[in-house]
Amino acid sequence: ITLSIGSNDLLIAFYKAVASAYGLEFYDNNVIDEAKEKFLVASLSEKYDMIKKLYNEVSSPKMKTNIDKAYKNYEKNFSRVIKYLKKENPTATIVAVEYYNPYHTLSIPFFDETSEKINKYLDTYVEKLNNYLYKNQKLGYKIAYIKDNFYLAKACNSRLSLFTFNLDPHPNKLGHYIIYSEIIKTLNQK
């Protein structure tokens, strides 16, 4: 059984910050597409302002509250899911996939300092998720370690510049291959 849960809860907090920064109503993940449309038709100075607003929203106390709440739910739900899986199938091998920051390598030209601050902020929460994984293996699961390879290979779809806007957090083709390879490697370990 492979398991990757909790990261979407944190992403929703990020998406809400994007919606707020761009004056959009958050109702689901489609807000990213709306933000993209708004960004791509904006003038250069408007794009500059939009990137600054995004940083301000992502680093706001409201975002911290939302993401802390999502993290607490993750802790509670993760252990419940593992216990449930073990109860239903005590002999199953469970492999939890290590978390990664899909925006870790996001570099915004002319906004290097802002890019770095957003990346570090989000990295903090990814580390919290992973530390929880590392510390709770006694619940009975193995970990497929993907994060470092993801970062080295730039294995996510996300790209942001003054001319592109892609906040898709999902792995690209190489990212899927890394996940697959690490899961197989983990399953083959004794």
Side-chain angles (χ1 to χ4, degrees), residues 15 18 20 54 56 67 80 127-128 152 157 170 179:
Y15 289 168
V18 171
S20 180
L54 177 60
N56 289 337
I67 209 163
R80 280 187 195 162
E127 288 306 313
K128 282 180 81 167
L152 287 172
N157 288 315
H170 297 99
I179 293 170

Side-chain angles (χ1 to χ4, degrees), residues 6-137:
S7 56
N8 282 349
D9 295 337
L10 274 66
L11 277 173
I12 287 172
F14 179 72
Y15 289 168
K16 286 180 180 178
V18 171
S20 180
Y22 294 164
L24 301 169
E25 186 77 28
F26 178 82
Y27 51 92
D28 64 20
N29 296 350
N30 289 334
V31 75
I32 296 301
D33 293 332
E34 292 176 38
K36 177 181 182 175
E37 289 173 23
K38 192 170 185 174
F39 185 84
L40 292 177
V41 299
S43 70
L44 221 48
S45 64
E46 289 170 330
K47 288 178 181 181
Y48 178 85
D49 290 340
M50 291 171 88
I51 291 171
K52 284 291 188 195
K53 284 180 186 174
L54 177 60
Y55 170 72
N56 289 337
E57 283 295 327
V58 167
S59 59
S60 72
K62 181 179 178 183
M63 170 74 168
K64 183 174 180 353
T65 299
N66 287 341
I67 209 163
D68 283 342
K69 189 171 160 184
Y71 176 76
K72 286 187 188 324
N73 284 335
Y74 157 77
E75 279 186 331
K76 183 173 50 178
N77 293 333
F78 187 88
S79 62
R80 280 187 195 162
V81 168
I82 295 292
K83 289 173 185 171
Y84 174 79
L85 291 172
K86 286 293 187 184
K87 180 181 145 219
E88 293 298 313
N89 191 344
T91 61
T93 300
I94 300 171
V95 178
V97 178
E98 186 180 40
Y99 299 95
Y100 62 92
N101 173 0
Y103 308 115
H104 178 80
T105 57
L106 196 65
S107 178
I108 310 166
F110 311 110
F111 292 91
D112 293 337
E113 187 178 323
T114 301
S115 299
E116 189 176 316
K117 285 179 182 176
I118 290 173
N119 293 340
K120 281 184 180 180
Y121 181 79
L122 296 175
D123 278 344
T124 301
Y125 287 95
V126 169
E127 288 306 313
K128 282 180 81 167
L129 290 171
N130 283 330
N131 285 335
Y132 183 83
L133 266 187
Y134 307 149
K135 290 189 295 190
N136 288 284
Q137 281 185 275

